[in-house]
Amino acid sequence: MTHPARITGVLPDSIAAEIGFAVGDAIVAINGTHPRDLIDYQFLCADEVLELEVLDEKGKTHHIEIEKDYDEDLGLEFETALFDNLIQCNNRCPFCFIDQQPPGKRQSLYFKDDDYRLSFLYGSYLTLTNLPEREWQRIEKMRLSPLYVSVHATEPEVRIRLLKNPRAGQILQQLKWFQERRLQIHAQVVVCPGINDGKHLEQTLRDLASFSTGEVPAVASVAVVPVGLTRFRLEKDELIPVSEEKAIEVISQVRSLQQEFSKKYGSNVAWLADEWFLIAGEELPSEVEYNDYPQIDNGVGSIRLFLKQFATAAAELLPQKISKARKLTWVVGNAVEKAFQPILQQLNAVENLEVNMRALNSDYWGQSISVTGLLTGHDLLLNLQGQDLGEGILLPKVMLKHGELIFLDDMSIEEVASQLNTKILPVADVEDLIKTCID
């Protein structure tokens, strides 16, 4: 069922602001069509003449006609990208992070989305196992490309075993569907030792590479990611944690294939997530190996890119001295402790600035090696209570719920700051990190 698209923001100096749209209004229809989602909204609003049916906050219906330039944005923001129901996941992957959480947390943490629209809009991964024919037709008609697909394995029996869904075995036919229509996907393979590694991983990467040819390759890139496990997972789930030995093996295997693919296809095709090198205790690949970072949101090259961005920002923003002495604590996941040492040294080279890094593992999730984004309020309290934290904690925003100051364990920043008796200073990126340090 499609619901009116509730407005949560009106951009200043926009068409919507000029007309008098307000937060709380809702779009019911555009040129007689009820938009299902942000994709429909953007497509319908591209026209030069719009007839809008709008419901105001009091429930009164208004009909508004707008004339504008083609593709000119109205300047509206909505509470959600989907104005109908979320397409839910129908798989039972044992490594699903949502099933590896404790019960009793905020409801949104347990939504299993497998929605191609969120994949197109935001790069979230889907499996293609739950799409009726009309949705495939919509993908083709509206050219919704690229999509981001969790492949994991191309051999039907292996993928069915991983996703616990008989429809999962259709992946190669689905890739051919994308290829025939000149549509693209970015793929990911979560490696589960003993299930889809070794010869199965090689077969999967070779199959995916075969779709990476032509002017519009159906498979634009592949991310190879180690399975992440928490202490809340099911007891009998077949899964084995990735060991240092396994990480070394996978790095060697994928790098060998990269060399072969580069010669054959002119591209690496597949890239290893940073975590492999952190687990293996090996040096990260050089910046040039990541091309244009096609899988950055999957943790492929994110550390190298962060270091590069910091170097660029530091050259412009980092002074030799600040006027007033400052002492701060920078909290990160212990997975990046070694990689971020150059950043720490540059910050501490500023006269009167002292930044102490606290690289933590996540007791909450039961992980000995943790990425920054999985640290929780529990982990901060466990490791930092009663310590001299200086003026405050530099906290990467990747630990927080998008748009809110809440950790993955539902603790709020205010709650943690109060118990640690210090300020918490959320930082979004390298510029934010530098400016917060020197401000």
Side-chain angles (χ1 to χ4, degrees):
M1 178 182 176
T2 300
H3 307 285
R6 187 72 55 190
I7 296 167
T8 55
V10 180
L11 299 181
D13 303 320
S14 65
I15 294 173
E18 191 177 316
I19 290 171
F21 277 93
V23 171
D25 292 345
I27 304 288
V28 177
I30 303 169
N31 292 342
T33 299
H34 299 272
R36 289 179 56 191
D37 44 46
L38 206 53
I39 299 169
D40 272 353
Y41 168 79
Q42 292 169 346
F43 177 78
L44 293 167
C45 283
D47 284 348
E48 294 174 322
V49 178
L50 305 179
E51 292 184 5
L52 303 183
E53 182 182 339
V54 180
L55 201 63
D56 68 22
E57 209 169 11
K58 295 179 181 178
K60 184 179 179 182
T61 298
H62 303 263
H63 293 274
I64 301 169
E65 187 170 307
I66 299 172
E67 290 188 21
K68 64 177 187 62
D69 292 336
Y70 182 77
D71 262 356
E72 186 179 3
D73 185 54
L74 295 183
L76 293 174
E77 296 175 341
F78 300 95
E79 63 181 351
T80 175
L82 307 181
F83 313 144
D84 59 0
N85 296 324
L86 177 77
I87 299 176
Q88 300 251 9
C89 182
N90 62 354
N91 307 304
R92 291 177 289 113
C93 308
F95 51 86
C96 177
F97 185 77
I98 291 171
D99 289 338
Q100 294 190 67
Q101 299 181 99
K105 302 300 177 183
R106 61 181 181 270
Q107 191 176 2
S108 61
L109 288 174
Y110 305 106
F111 284 148
K112 283 190 177 183
D113 100 72
D114 199 9
D115 200 309
Y116 70 94
R117 298 168 297 174
L118 297 180
S119 183
F120 174 71
L121 290 167
Y122 304 123
S124 59
Y125 277 85
L126 76 158
T127 62
L128 302 174
T129 59
N130 61 353
L131 297 182
E133 182 58 31
R134 67 185 181 92
E135 303 296 359
W136 285 101
Q137 291 171 0
R138 188 180 185 222
I139 291 170
E140 179 179 6
K141 180 182 177 182
M142 301 191 76
R143 309 297 297 171
L144 302 183
S145 172
L147 298 182
Y148 294 76
V149 179
S150 291
V151 173
H152 307 319
T154 52
E155 296 166 278
E157 65 278 8
V158 179
R159 194 166 191 254
I160 289 169
R161 179 183 174 187
L162 281 167
L163 273 59
K164 304 288 190 291
N165 185 337
R167 296 183 69 182
Q170 300 170 8
I171 187 64
L172 286 176
Q173 297 96 298
Q174 290 165 342
L175 291 176
K176 287 176 185 173
W177 185 92
F178 281 92
Q179 185 179 54
E180 289 165 358
R181 287 155 181 80
R182 294 169 64 86
L183 299 172
Q184 290 187 300
I185 72 158
H186 291 280
Q188 77 165 351
V189 176
V190 174
V191 177
C192 302
I195 302 177
N196 65 337
D197 57 341
K199 65 179 182 180
H200 303 298
L201 176 59
E202 178 175 350
Q203 184 65 52
T204 295
L205 296 182
R206 289 192 183 281
D207 285 340
L208 292 174
S210 71
F211 287 95
S212 69
T213 60
E215 187 181 337
V216 183
V219 175
S221 70
V222 184
V224 181
V225 183
V227 66
L229 305 178
T230 82
R231 65 187 176 93
F232 301 108
R233 76 183 206 265
L234 298 173
E235 289 182 15
K236 298 178 180 179
D237 59 9
E238 300 184 89
L239 300 179
I240 302 168
V242 173
S243 64
E244 180 180 337
E245 294 74 23
K246 175 56 68 173
I248 292 169
E249 174 195 313
V250 171
I251 290 170
S252 175
Q253 180 183 18
V254 173
R255 280 189 150 168
S256 176
L257 288 167
Q258 284 176 328
Q259 291 178 355
E260 180 185 326
F261 295 158
S262 185
K263 290 176 183 176
K264 188 173 181 180
Y265 304 113
S267 166
N268 285 356
V269 180
W271 283 266
L272 290 152
D274 294 354
E275 284 178 73
W276 291 109
F277 300 95
L278 301 173
I279 295 169
E282 293 189 7
E283 285 294 319
L284 291 162
S286 62
E287 183 189 331
V288 72
E289 291 185 54
Y290 291 110
N291 292 12
D292 58 350
Y293 296 95
Q295 289 273 2
I296 190 67
D297 290 334
N298 228 331
V300 178
S302 56
I303 294 176
R304 279 283 176 228
L305 184 59
F306 192 88
L307 292 170
K308 177 185 177 182
Q309 290 172 337
F310 181 85
T312 302
E316 181 183 341
L317 301 173
L318 202 61
Q320 293 184 326
K321 178 181 179 179
I322 56 175
S323 57
K324 184 181 176 183
R326 295 200 79 189
K327 179 180 178 182
L328 297 161
T329 300
W330 183 23
V331 174
V332 296
N334 65 347
V336 298
E337 180 176 14
K338 181 181 176 183
F340 282 1
Q341 288 305 310
I343 293 177
L344 189 64
Q345 289 166 11
Q346 275 189 271
L347 291 174
N348 284 316
V350 176
E351 190 175 339
N352 285 333
L353 177 62
E354 179 185 347
V355 178
N356 296 313
M357 177 189 285
R358 290 303 311 273
L360 311 179
N361 68 302
S362 180
D363 174 79
Y364 181 82
W365 299 112
Q367 296 174 331
S368 57
I369 298 177
S370 300
V371 296
T372 302
L374 288 182
L375 295 180
T376 65
H378 165 92
D379 297 317
L380 267 66
L381 294 179
L382 181 69
N383 289 279
L384 303 179
Q385 214 142 22
Q387 298 183 19
D388 178 10
L389 303 171
E391 291 182 33
I393 294 171
L394 299 165
L395 188 87
K397 278 190 176 179
V398 293
M399 295 184 201
L400 306 173
K401 180 184 178 184
H402 181 67
E404 295 185 35
L405 302 179
I406 301 173
F407 292 94
L408 278 175
D409 61 355
D410 271 356
M411 293 191 75
S412 68
I413 274 197
E414 293 81 6
E415 188 179 351
V416 174
S418 174
Q419 292 194 46
L420 292 177
N421 195 29
T422 192
K423 291 180 182 177
I424 291 184
L425 309 168
V427 291
D429 50 32
V430 290
E431 287 192 13
D432 216 5
L433 174 65
I434 292 171
K435 288 176 179 178
T436 304
C437 284
I438 65 177
D439 190 5

